[in-house]
Amino acid sequence: MAKEMREPIETGCPDPFQYMHPSMRRNFGMWAYHEHPKPGVLLHVAKNGDKLWTIKAGTQRILDVFTLRTLCQIADDYSDGYIRFTIRSNPEFFVTEESRVEPLIAKLEEAGFIVGGTQNSVTTLSHTQGWLHCDIPGTDASGVVKSMMDELIDDFKSADMPNRVHITTSCCQINCGGQGDIAINVQHTKPPKINHDLVANVCERPSVVARCPVAAIRPAMVNGKPSLEVDEKKCICCGACFPPCPPMQINDAEHSKLAIWVGGNHSNARGKPSFQKLVAAGIPNNPPRWPEATAIVKRILKAYKEGAKDWERINEWVERIGWPRFFEEVELPFTKYHIDNWRGSRKSLNSSTYIRF
Ligand code: SF4
Ligand code: SF4
């Protein structure tokens, strides 16, 4: 194997072949078909007749060392020492005999993990890195994931949605976090509060001024020190000035809310390119269980499950029934703010499914 490995590089993923189950390596590009014997289990059959069962489990998303060791021990004992994690932090195990599937599932469940997340299920919410790795979070996205998945556990285990459902959360308002059928994103509702004593020592003022998308920040002298000021009439409360200048504090327990969006290109199996649409704004960012946001997500999932045709993704279902009718189905208010009438979006935003570099 060592000869086949490529040289390490400083960016990007490591060579995945070194971590693959031997059956996967042997049959790379040579699979004939795959089946879905039950929720949480996939069966891949190679052209030479080799069979590989993949068993998927759910986790709490951010993992402690104890949990990782437990999962690795299960992989050593039941899965030939191989484990991998999907982008949604679902561990996957591999066996080459059908008789080893059920003992592996029993062991995972005994250790407190749930098995599911395949085909037409609600798979684990993905969230961005938040407090662990990033410098600009406005909320604890991993907490939203854990508390919401606790409520959606049956939909993870059962695979009886019309099509797969991906849900995402973000921890700030400006960057990652909208790549799903349903997205739960932070929404700041007031301009940043500036700590003028710190600005001169901490912030590069020209970078901060350049960062504002609506030119609302100006250099200013405050109490004899160089600082900044914000034109609050222009400010759209996006939070983009907080990363280069932490003294412009925008996170706020009361005024930082959550907003829920649906649809878009990530929720589209065969329709035209489309944007995500705002469903609800100003939802309380209410730890530790976020009950208000979870209730809205559950309403959307219930209406989708009852109303969509087989294999329709959420975006296709919304497009078919129409935006006002969607609000009737989920029993949420349809207001003038939900009408997408911004003509500039046709030219200036990325509205195609093509990958661009
Ligand atoms: S959503 Fe924002 S705060 Fe969270 S990881 Fe991405 S950039 Fe950082
Ligand atoms: S929050 Fe956004 S719009 Fe408001 S001042 Fe900061 S960068 Fe500008």
Side-chain angles (χ1 to χ4, degrees):
M1 190 60 212
K3 264 201 247 164
E4 296 168 26
M5 280 172 63
R6 72 177 186 221
E7 287 294 305
I9 49 174
E10 289 183 359
T11 55
C13 304
D15 180 357
F17 280 85
Q18 59 188 313
Y19 306 119
M20 281 185 190
H21 190 280
S23 173
M24 280 183 169
R25 279 205 297 264
R26 205 167 43 244
N27 295 301
F28 182 75
M30 303 293 286
W31 298 102
Y33 63 94
H34 70 274
E35 292 174 352
H36 184 239
K38 60 187 273 193
V41 181
L42 293 168
L43 165 62
H44 284 82
V45 181
K47 289 180 183 162
N48 64 7
D50 281 2
K51 291 183 175 179
L52 185 71
W53 284 262
T54 303
I55 292 89
K56 182 185 276 194
T59 67
Q60 65 270 43
R61 183 69 172 135
I62 286 181
L63 300 176
D64 56 283
V65 173
F66 174 79
T67 308
L68 278 169
R69 285 199 175 130
T70 306
L71 288 167
C72 291
Q73 191 62 52
I74 294 173
D76 279 344
D77 296 342
Y78 291 83
S79 173
D80 306 327
Y82 288 88
I83 182 174
R84 73 174 179 192
F85 286 85
T86 69
I87 201 165
R88 290 173 176 267
S89 295
N90 296 131
E92 290 186 338
F93 301 86
F94 314 95
V95 295
T96 47
E97 294 103 41
E98 190 171 9
S99 59
R100 293 168 61 198
V101 172
E102 289 305 325
L104 173 49
I105 291 175
K107 181 64 190 174
L108 282 166
E109 289 180 340
E110 182 197 311
F113 299 100
I114 43 169
V115 173
T118 47
Q119 215 191 38
N120 296 8
S121 63
V122 177
T123 191
T124 306
L125 274 69
S126 69
H127 78 73
T128 46
Q129 301 311 319
W131 310 122
L132 272 186
H133 296 288
C134 195
D135 60 351
I136 53 174
T139 190
D140 171 23
S142 53
V144 178
V145 167
K146 173 70 175 80
S147 48
M148 227 171 248
M149 283 311 295
D150 283 351
E151 298 270 333
L152 302 176
I153 188 168
D154 292 335
D155 294 316
F156 180 87
K157 286 160 76 175
S158 61
D160 56 3
M161 285 285 162
N163 202 332
R164 73 186 63 183
V165 179
H166 288 169
I167 307 179
T168 59
T169 70
S170 76
C171 32
C172 76
Q173 190 174 293
I174 49 172
N175 288 335
C176 9
Q179 303 83 12
D181 299 82
I182 304 173
I184 300 125
N185 294 334
V186 176
Q187 178 195 27
H188 299 298
T189 58
K190 68 162 188 51
K193 190 165 178 277
I194 305 176
N195 183 337
H196 295 290
D197 291 338
L198 295 180
V199 170
N201 295 339
V202 176
C203 315
E204 273 185 28
R205 293 189 304 156
S207 328
V208 187
V209 170
R211 190 76 172 242
C212 181
V214 290
I217 307 175
R218 288 186 294 259
M221 291 297 284
V222 180
N223 300 331
K225 281 187 174 179
S227 186
L228 297 161
E229 66 182 7
V230 169
D231 180 343
E232 297 197 352
K233 283 197 188 126
K234 278 189 182 173
C235 174
I236 54 171
C237 312
C238 66
C241 49
F242 175 64
C245 189
M248 296 185 74
Q249 183 61 249
I250 193 163
N251 301 343
D252 179 284
E254 189 188 340
H255 297 95
S256 290
K257 307 278 189 184
L258 296 182
I260 295 185
W261 301 66
V262 298
N265 284 347
H266 297 277
S267 177
N268 202 348
R270 56 190 78 76
K272 288 185 202 164
S274 58
F275 289 118
Q276 278 195 318
K277 293 188 171 84
L278 177 72
V279 172
I283 304 161
N285 183 15
N286 192 4
R289 304 302 295 182
W290 288 269
E292 299 86 356
T294 304
I296 293 174
V297 168
K298 285 173 85 173
R299 270 197 228 176
I300 297 170
L301 289 174
K302 182 170 177 287
Y304 167 62
K305 194 171 172 179
E306 288 169 1
K309 294 180 182 171
D310 286 352
W311 304 109
E312 264 181 340
R313 294 287 292 264
I314 286 185
N315 186 57
E316 291 153 347
W317 166 62
V318 175
E319 294 285 318
R320 179 171 60 78
I321 65 174
W323 196 222
R325 167 96 184 279
F326 167 82
F327 282 85
E328 288 168 24
E329 297 286 327
V330 296
E331 296 175 7
L332 289 168
F334 181 68
T335 68
K336 63 180 181 180
Y337 302 109
H338 293 106
I339 298 170
D340 183 6
N341 60 357
W342 186 46
R343 293 178 66 83
S345 63
R346 293 181 196 168
K347 289 210 172 94
S348 58
L349 295 182
N350 182 359
S351 61
S352 100
T353 47
Y354 290 102
I355 296 172
R356 295 172 188 177
F357 297 96

